[in-house]
Amino acid sequence: MSTENELFSAVDALLEQVAQDDLPAPAERKRLREAAGLSQAQIAKALDARREAVGNWETGKTEPRPPKRAAYARLLEGLAARFPVPAPDELAAPAPAPRVPEAFTGPAPAPAPTAEPPAPAAAVRPAPAVKPASSSRRPGAKKAAPKTTTTTPAAVDPRFESGPLAVIDVDADGQVSAYCAGGLVLDVPAKSIPALVDWTLEEARLGQPRLHRYGRDADPILILTGSALQRYGLPDALSEEERSAGRLKDGHKVIKQIEKAGLQMTQRGLGPWARLYREPVGSRRRCVQLCIPAWNALDAREWDNQSRPLLPTMHPADLARYLGLYAQRVTTPRGTTSTTGLELMTALRPPTRAEKNPATGEFERAFNEGALTRVYPVVDCEVPDEHPALEGKFPRAHKRTPAEMLMEEPYDWCRPLTDDECMQPYLVAIDINMSFAAATNGLTVGLNGPTHLTDRPAFDPKLPGSWLVDLSHVDLSRVEIGGRTVDGDRLPSPFTQWGTRPEGPAWYATPTVAYAVELGFDVAPIEAYVRTETGRYFDPWYKRLREAYIETMADLGVTTDLTDQEFLDAMARRKQTDPVLALLETAIKATAKGGIGKLRQRSGGKVPYYQPYPALQRETWRPDIRAAVLATQRVGIHRKLMKTAAAADLYPTSIGNDAIVYPSPGPSPLDFLPRTPDGKPIPGGFRLGVSPGMVKHQGTQSVLWAEQLFEERGGVVNVSNLIKTDPHAGEGE
């Protein structure tokens, strides 16, 4: 006779079998979790699964397997009992779509829940006779314009039905208009800057819903054109003194108007990116951000085409479309693309939340799991030369060595061409898409402060941080990869920026030391500073930027399903497809690269050496995390170089950031990138494609051109960022 435990086991097995077909649809799984206010991390912890697995279950990419499936089914069953699907009459009716002029169309802003009644709608008027250079589709438009985007319309939050931002312009008749994302044009009755701010807060319905339940809604942004500056009494340009200070001088009549109206400004004052606000009402912020392109708010190096600027002459509707799409796909601009990239991190991983204390009934500040929540003590080897922690520790003109400073940077390497390579007709440069963003994908970083390990600690690849270790013994001159010998002398070292072999002990981030172990070499750290609380901090940030980039490239005709030749052709013509979207592509890439750089923002000479500067007070000032990203990017390139060399005896001649130059018999990457016998890219090597981490064609030059350049400059020159189809493109991503 069966025992009680055996009977229970048999019943559990039946329940588990039933659970195989007892899961709701993926979208319903997500709805139930969000209705209960649970995070994916909480469910993953309860089921002893990875958070990414829960995310895949909610999108339908994968399905849970036993025994987790039965437990997951039980959880969803319990949530469904508590949070049933609302009846049709319980669903809030969508707000009526405002009239959208036929001349302007575009995507609607993303939705977010709201507990506040919407403000009265601002007046909408027909579009002016002037038509913008390009447009995109939005719900409510009478018909699609010739150039459309692929953005899927979403339900509109009635608080922000006019979109995240507006471009304020004045026509020849003196009519002030607000051009919004999606082609909406609003009449603006305000006759002063304070009145404009109040109109925005009370009537315009501008802003953007929060990206995280514990985050905050984005403040509305007003972009003031030159005609708007004149209308509201602001100068066309700042004086030299004001540019140096970054703000309009105190005592200006507009500043007096602002003060008289009871509006407040941040300490930055009225500058290119200015915030004007009134005291909050309950939990509702009342803040408006001004963006003034004429004062260099939209730096051409990040937001525009530096050699052929488009923004100064761009129609207000196109400018609203450009920045509106950026806000929808990335986030509302907050300043430079670098600043915005950093703000996106905290918007997706807010450091704190309000939590009710059961003992007192009061709400208190609590820290969010997986976020950067505090400013921790710094480590001397990780900080830049001007940091206050280094005062008195080195002579003023001392140049720190690798044994004194963590020097994780992207490649800047070149070598002379061999005789055989000189016989090739071409040098072809390939470039890695969103290289630094791709390096963050799945990267585990430290979330807490440093722990100092001494007395030659054992290396642990699971501990992010900095390790003092001697890797000079690692000899890569002859390495076996897949049964083939790789000539490491024609490859850069993976351990230094310049590609030279280490000469002794040096500080390295965990990914670099882990790569030495991966290559089969012993490592013996002397000391280390590690972080014991870890997490994949960048995952939501990378996902959002990746989706923004892929969607924008698809709008430009570069999709993920193209053949290699189709991809190269589409990339070559994408800049002519839609100039506005071409700027958007550049801005997204600059956001990714600049956001990583902000993790170790330097003083920029604005304060004396060893004096504190504002960036040091941010939770996100984390030079150790930046080092981990750059180390991952660099060793990732070296890994692909090794695979390519082993497969085809093919070696690069120079590398700059994420641009790699190879000698080639033809002008196309298809002429040299190795293939398997069945015509596929070699596993682990460089692969053409639009996704981050894949490569594209950067440019082609002749070997003779390079030799002449070497002769003119008296030696070998890193030509990786000089070989460009578009000579005005920026370095790397």
Side-chain angles (χ1 to χ4, degrees):
M1 180 178 292
S2 299
T3 66
E4 183 176 284
N5 288 337
E6 290 174 340
L7 291 173
F8 283 166
S9 297
V11 171
D12 289 343
L14 286 175
L15 290 174
E16 190 169 298
Q17 180 63 39
V18 172
Q20 300 300 307
D21 302 310
D22 199 28
L23 291 179
E28 176 65 5
R29 303 169 196 174
K30 181 179 180 181
R31 185 194 74 80
L32 290 171
R33 175 181 60 77
E34 292 179 341
L38 298 174
S39 67
Q40 291 179 349
Q42 288 175 299
I43 293 180
K45 185 177 181 180
L47 299 179
D48 194 22
R50 296 171 61 245
R51 186 201 61 76
E52 292 75 14
V54 177
N56 289 336
W57 300 344
E58 292 182 353
T59 58
K61 292 182 179 179
T62 61
E63 290 291 317
R65 303 182 65 181
K68 294 181 176 64
R69 187 180 182 98
Y72 188 48
R74 182 176 180 181
L75 170 66
L76 295 176
E77 182 181 1
L79 294 178
R82 296 191 60 182
F83 305 98
V85 178
D89 57 349
E90 295 176 354
L91 296 175
R99 182 180 181 276
V100 181
E102 186 174 329
F104 310 107
T105 56
T114 176
E116 298 178 15
V124 182
R125 67 183 181 85
V130 180
K131 185 175 180 179
S134 60
S135 56
S136 58
R137 187 177 178 82
R138 179 192 176 190
K142 293 184 178 179
K143 64 179 181 179
K147 297 177 181 179
T148 63
T149 61
T150 59
T151 302
T152 302
V156 178
D157 186 325
R159 296 174 300 162
F160 310 126
E161 65 181 13
S162 298
L165 50 83
V167 178
I168 308 299
D169 188 61
V170 183
D171 63 21
D173 297 328
Q175 172 64 51
V176 184
S177 304
Y179 292 83
C180 305
L184 189 66
V185 183
L186 305 177
D187 284 331
V188 181
K191 298 182 179 180
S192 67
I193 289 293
L196 180 64
V197 170
D198 288 337
W199 171 82
T200 303
L201 293 173
E202 303 301 331
E203 298 183 44
R205 298 187 187 179
L206 290 169
Q208 191 171 29
R210 66 197 67 188
L211 298 178
H212 188 281
R213 63 184 301 228
Y214 294 132
R216 71 184 189 194
D217 298 329
D219 297 325
I221 290 185
L222 302 179
I223 299 98
L224 305 182
T225 65
S227 60
L229 293 180
Q230 295 178 5
R231 174 61 176 265
Y232 293 118
L234 291 168
D236 294 335
L238 296 177
S239 67
E240 185 176 347
E241 179 183 354
E242 291 169 335
R243 285 198 304 271
S244 178
R247 56 192 290 174
L248 194 65
K249 63 182 178 181
D250 295 335
H252 191 278
K253 65 177 182 179
V254 174
I255 293 181
K256 291 181 179 179
Q257 291 174 358
I258 292 170
E259 294 171 345
K260 184 177 180 180
L263 284 169
Q264 301 181 57
M265 293 184 290
T266 63
Q267 292 182 352
R268 293 189 176 185
L270 188 56
W273 291 89
R275 289 188 183 275
L276 306 179
Y277 63 94
R278 295 192 181 279
E279 291 297 326
V281 175
S283 62
R284 179 192 171 201
R285 283 167 57 90
R286 296 196 297 166
C287 180
V288 175
Q289 186 162 14
L290 302 182
C291 169
I292 306 178
W295 297 0
N296 199 37
L298 301 174
D299 194 311
R301 293 170 296 181
E302 299 179 327
W303 294 103
D304 203 355
N305 186 323
Q306 191 172 1
S307 60
R308 297 180 295 276
L310 300 178
L311 294 183
T313 57
M314 185 177 285
H315 190 280
D318 274 336
L319 182 56
R321 175 176 172 242
Y322 167 32
L323 297 178
L325 278 172
Y326 179 91
Q328 181 189 25
R329 296 178 181 181
V330 182
T331 189
T332 302
R334 311 287 173 85
T336 64
T337 53
S338 302
T339 298
T340 305
L342 190 70
E343 291 288 335
L344 179 62
M345 293 181 197
T346 55
L348 294 167
R349 296 275 200 192
T352 61
R353 69 180 188 277
E355 185 173 83
K356 192 172 185 179
N357 186 325
T360 64
E362 298 293 330
F363 281 95
E364 300 175 350
R365 187 178 71 161
F367 295 111
N368 286 321
E369 183 180 354
L372 300 176
T373 58
R374 297 178 178 88
V375 177
Y376 291 100
V378 299
V379 176
D380 289 355
C381 69
E382 294 174 348
V383 300
D385 293 336
E386 69 271 18
H387 195 280
L390 300 182
E391 185 174 10
K393 297 183 179 180
F394 299 101
R396 179 65 175 82
H398 176 74
K399 185 175 182 180
R400 286 192 287 168
T401 67
E404 298 166 335
M405 180 181 183
L406 180 65
M407 296 183 179
E408 296 286 14
E409 299 292 339
Y411 273 128
D412 184 1
W413 168 84
C414 60
R415 64 169 176 83
L417 276 66
T418 65
D419 291 342
D420 289 341
E421 290 168 345
C422 288
M423 298 301 294
Q424 296 281 10
Y426 297 103
L427 292 177
V428 179
I430 55 176
D431 180 83
I432 302 175
N433 298 323
M434 300 272 287
S435 173
F436 300 102
T440 68
N441 184 23
L443 178 65
T444 299
V445 301
L447 302 177
N448 63 341
T451 298
H452 192 191
L453 304 180
T454 58
D455 299 328
R456 298 190 174 274
F459 174 68
D460 186 347
K462 295 181 181 179
L463 289 178
S466 304
W467 304 79
L468 181 62
V469 59
D470 190 348
L471 297 180
S472 60
H473 66 286
V474 178
D475 184 4
L476 298 178
S477 59
R478 291 292 183 270
V479 178
E480 291 288 333
I481 301 289
R484 294 191 178 185
T485 301
V486 173
D487 182 3
D489 290 336
R490 286 199 280 167
L491 292 176
S493 166
F495 308 126
T496 66
Q497 172 187 8
W498 312 110
T500 54
R501 184 169 172 173
E503 297 179 350
W507 287 100
Y508 300 100
T510 298
T512 301
V513 185
Y515 187 54
V517 175
E518 177 186 326
L519 292 173
F521 295 91
D522 294 329
V523 297
I526 301 168
E527 62 175 313
Y529 290 91
V530 298
R531 278 78 181 176
T532 55
E533 182 184 337
T534 64
R536 292 169 56 159
Y537 175 75
F538 288 110
D539 278 5
W541 185 81
Y542 167 75
K543 180 181 178 182
R544 187 163 181 86
L545 286 173
R546 180 190 184 279
E547 290 176 351
Y549 180 71
I550 292 294
E551 187 173 4
T552 300
M553 295 303 288
D555 291 340
L556 289 168
V558 187
T559 58
T560 57
D561 58 349
L562 301 177
T563 65
D564 286 348
Q565 188 59 58
E566 289 172 342
F567 167 72
L568 293 173
D569 293 342
M571 287 294 292
R573 62 174 178 265
R574 76 188 190 285
K575 296 288 187 181
Q576 288 72 47
T577 301
D578 188 325
V580 174
L581 291 175
L583 291 185
L584 181 59
E585 174 201 347
T586 301
I588 293 171
K589 293 189 293 186
T591 301
K593 183 178 180 181
I596 297 298
K598 278 283 188 178
L599 293 169
R600 197 191 74 150
Q601 182 177 355
R602 305 191 66 172
S603 65
K606 295 181 180 179
V607 299
Y609 253 52
Y610 309 131
Q611 294 300 308
Y613 50 96
L616 303 182
Q617 301 305 312
R618 294 194 319 251
E619 296 92 341
T620 49
W621 195 84
R622 289 293 299 271
D624 59 301
I625 295 181
R626 172 187 177 273
V629 174
L630 298 189
T632 301
Q633 187 261 3
R634 193 184 62 251
V635 301
I637 288 179
H638 191 271
R639 192 179 285 113
K640 292 179 183 293
L641 298 177
M642 295 276 278
K643 294 285 187 180
T644 303
D649 196 33
L650 190 63
Y651 297 87
T653 63
S654 62
I655 306 174
N657 287 343
D658 49 16
I660 303 138
V661 176
Y662 277 99
S664 172
S668 168
L670 295 176
D671 294 317
F672 73 88
L673 287 177
R675 298 274 174 168
T676 61
D678 57 356
K680 296 181 179 179
I682 61 168
F686 297 106
R687 181 173 182 176
L688 290 169
V690 69
S691 296
M694 301 175 76
V695 300
K696 59 181 178 289
H697 183 206
Q698 177 172 279
T700 299
Q701 284 286 2
S702 68
V703 169
L704 180 60
W705 168 87
E707 292 292 350
Q708 290 175 340
L709 189 64
F710 297 163
E711 184 175 348
E712 291 173 2
R713 301 195 181 183
V716 179
V717 179
N718 189 342
V719 298
S720 55
N721 284 303
L722 300 177
I723 301 177
K724 296 178 183 291
T725 301
D726 179 1
H728 305 291
E731 287 191 16
E733 296 294 351

